[in-house]
Amino acid sequence: MERLEALRLVAAQALHGELVFPTGLDVSLTLLRALDDPDCHVDHAVRLVKGDPLLAARVVAVANASIYCRPGQQTADLRQAVARIGLRTTRTLAVAIATRRLAGTPQSPRLREAANRLWVHTSEVAALAQVIARRVSHVDPETAFFAGVVHEIGGFYLISRAADMPTLLDGDPGDWTEDNEAIVGRAILARLDIPPTVCAAIEAMWEGLRSLPPASLGDTLLLADELALTPSPLYTTDATRTADSAPQIDAVVNERTLSEILAESASEVAELAAALRQ
C-alpha cells in the first residue's frame, strides 16, 4: 500500500471513530479515569500510582526537579511527591505514560527509534511550554505542561499503525502534517477527553499561527515546539539541533529578549524534560 493511501485509510478510520489502540493502553486509560474523579484524594491517588511502577518513578523524578523542589528537599516518598506536585500534574504524568504507550512496543528498530525520538521531542516541548508559560506568556503552567505532553499524540498513534503499514513513515512529511495529522489527532484527543482549551491550543499549533512574544496557550505550545532541540521525526530527518542553532527570539519581554529569558531557564527545561523521560 502506498503511503498516501495508507495515511488516508488511517485518517478515514479515525474520522469514524475506528481507533486501534495497542495492547496495554487500557491500564493507563483506567488509571486516568480514576484520577479524573473529582473526589479522588491524595491517598487514593498514591495507591493508584503505586500500581504503575513507571508512573511512580516519574512522579518522584518530577517532584524532585527544581521547578517543584527547593534545594535539599528531594524525596523518595511517593505520597510526599504526589502531594508536592499535586493531582493535576500527577494526572499529566499519567497522560504522558499513556501517550508514550500509544506507540505500542514496535519490533522494528526503525519504529522503535522513531517512537523514542518522538518521546524525547515531546518531553522537551512539555518542559519548554511549562517554563515559557511561567516566565513569559503567563498562561497556566500546568495546562501548558499538559498540552506539551499530548501535542504529538497523533504521531505516537501513527507509529503504532506503521507496524502493519510500514509505508506510513515514508515519503514527504507534508503528507502527514497537512491534513491527516489533524484528523487523527482530533479523534484521539476526543477519545481521551482532553480539555477543550488544550485541544484549541493544539489546533493553533497545527495551523502554525502565533504571536511574539507569546500570549496564549497556543502561542506557548507552538514556540516550545519550534525551540525543542530534538525535532519530531515525523516533521524532519534532522536528529537534533544544538543550542546555538536553535531559533534566536529577539522579541522583547519586560525589556529583556525572549532568548535571554530562555537561556536562563535552560537548566530547568533540561532537568524537567529528563524527569519526564525517567
Side-chain angles (χ1 to χ4, degrees):
M1 186 182 296
E2 296 295 327
R3 187 191 197 211
L4 277 176
E5 183 183 358
L7 282 170
R8 287 169 183 156
L9 174 60
V10 170
Q13 290 173 337
L15 195 61
H16 291 91
E18 300 170 12
L19 295 170
V20 182
F21 288 157
T23 303
L25 188 65
D26 288 345
V27 175
S28 292
L29 297 182
T30 300
L31 175 60
L32 283 173
R33 285 191 288 271
L35 289 173
D36 269 340
D37 186 342
D39 294 325
C40 181
H41 298 292
V42 170
D43 288 337
H44 183 50
V46 170
R47 287 195 294 273
L48 293 170
V49 172
K50 280 182 178 178
D52 189 329
L54 181 59
L55 176 58
R58 199 155 292 175
V59 166
V60 171
V62 169
N64 287 327
S66 58
I67 286 177
Y68 295 99
C69 178
R70 294 178 181 177
Q73 293 188 348
Q74 282 74 19
T75 184
D77 180 78
L78 183 58
R79 190 189 190 287
Q80 187 175 357
V82 170
R84 178 181 295 169
I85 66 176
L87 293 182
R88 285 182 64 200
T89 302
T90 299
R91 184 183 184 279
T92 294
L93 297 178
V95 171
I97 299 289
T99 300
R100 179 61 183 85
R101 285 176 176 161
L102 196 58
T105 53
Q107 299 302 308
S108 159
R110 180 192 181 199
L111 295 184
R112 284 200 303 272
E113 171 64 17
N116 289 337
R117 275 189 55 198
L118 189 58
W119 183 240
V120 172
H121 168 77
T122 296
S123 66
E124 291 174 358
V125 171
L128 278 161
Q130 208 266 20
V131 169
I132 292 169
R134 183 163 44 85
R135 299 202 58 184
V136 181
S137 60
H138 304 298
V139 297
D140 180 58
E142 297 308 317
T143 301
F145 188 44
F146 184 97
V149 161
V150 299
H151 85 285
E152 282 281 5
I153 203 162
F156 286 101
Y157 181 77
L158 188 73
I159 291 170
S160 76
R161 297 301 307 274
D164 297 321
M165 293 181 277
T167 57
L168 282 173
L169 298 189
D170 295 337
D172 185 352
D175 295 340
W176 165 244
T177 59
E178 286 178 8
D179 296 305
N180 296 299
E181 179 183 26
I183 293 171
V184 173
R186 286 184 194 116
I188 299 172
L189 293 170
R191 177 70 67 85
L192 298 184
D193 294 322
I194 301 302
T197 53
V198 173
C199 293
I202 295 173
E203 291 278 357
M205 188 195 73
W206 289 331
E207 292 171 5
L209 301 176
R210 62 155 168 75
S211 60
L212 279 177
S216 68
L217 181 59
D219 295 339
T220 300
L221 183 60
L222 183 52
L223 181 59
D225 187 66
E226 292 175 350
L227 291 173
L229 292 178
T230 305
S232 165
L234 304 180
Y235 285 72
T236 177
T237 57
D238 295 336
T240 57
R241 300 185 181 110
T242 65
D244 292 337
S245 67
Q248 296 300 305
I249 308 298
D250 294 325
V252 176
V253 180
N254 295 331
E255 300 182 354
R256 305 182 64 208
T257 68
L258 184 51
S259 289
E260 290 172 341
I261 295 171
L262 293 176
E264 286 181 359
S265 304
S267 62
E268 285 184 346
V269 169
E271 185 184 17
L272 183 56
L276 194 52
R277 297 193 296 270
Q278 181 74 31

